[in-house]
Amino acid sequence: LGAQTAGRVVPALRFDAENGAIPLGVDFLPRANSAALTQTVPGIAGGDGSRRLVIADPGDVDATVSVKLVTPDGSYTPTGMDLVDVPAGGVVSVDLDPELKGAAAGAVVTSTEPIVAGAVSALKPDKNKGVDVAFTAAVPPLSGPAIAADGETAADRHTQLVLTAPD
């Protein structure tokens, strides 16, 4: 193949986890919505481990955001998450562990300036000190029929469809 000198580029971001020479897993980070005043981040995994919401302000003006968590028990804005400052051109990580306590959730982030958002869920380390990590990013709401393909075929593996209904 020859080198391309023009055309569109479609990027993908790959995360490789290793403990020294021991490979622990590979994930591709999902594509996030374009910057907007409201972002909905579904699929924050439940279970033992840590959960973080990551918010970036790609603009030139500082943003103030409010974070509403959507759980199986309902939606609410945790104390201290109603006014989170995100510096212009900066990134803020919000620890969700004290609120979620292992529960699965979604998050709705509302901002004074356009922002992007995603989340990182990490299970507790295994015997090799490996940590299973899951990434999710803000996505637009479904507006019609959708298909979710399940590629798991082994008996000891499963796929879950997680839906977030923020309204």
Side-chain angles (χ1 to χ4, degrees), residues 8-114:
R8 295 188 328 164
V9 175
V10 180
L13 185 58
R14 179 178 148 157
F15 171 80
D16 288 291
E18 298 176 348
N19 181 11
I22 302 170
L24 300 174
V26 174
D27 281 295
F28 282 90
L29 277 68
R31 177 180 169 248
N33 265 355
S34 297
L37 297 177
T38 301
Q39 298 284 7
T40 301
V41 182
I44 301 170
D48 290 337
S50 66
R51 311 291 179 267
R52 289 182 292 128
L53 184 65
V54 181
I55 306 164
D57 176 354
D60 297 328
V61 177
D62 293 349
T64 300
V65 304
S66 175
V67 177
K68 178 172 74 171
L69 296 179
V70 182
T71 70
D73 296 326
S75 301
Y76 65 101
T77 299
T79 302
M81 293 190 195
D82 53 339
L83 295 172
V84 178
D85 293 322
V86 183
V91 177
V92 169
S93 179
V94 178
D95 182 6
L96 300 177
D97 294 338
E99 288 298 323
L100 295 181
K101 298 181 177 102
V108 178
V109 184
T110 306
S111 178
T112 58
E113 297 295 325

Side-chain angles (χ1 to χ4, degrees), residues 115-163:
I115 48 100
V116 293
V120 182
S121 303
L123 297 178
K124 286 191 171 188
D126 63 16
K127 64 182 179 180
N128 294 322
K129 296 189 172 115
V131 176
D132 190 10
V133 178
F135 300 94
T136 185
V139 294
L142 296 176
S143 60
I147 297 173
D150 179 2
E152 297 291 348
T153 57
D156 62 342
R157 298 194 177 262
H158 66 278
T159 299
Q160 291 180 326
L161 176 62
V162 179
L163 300 174

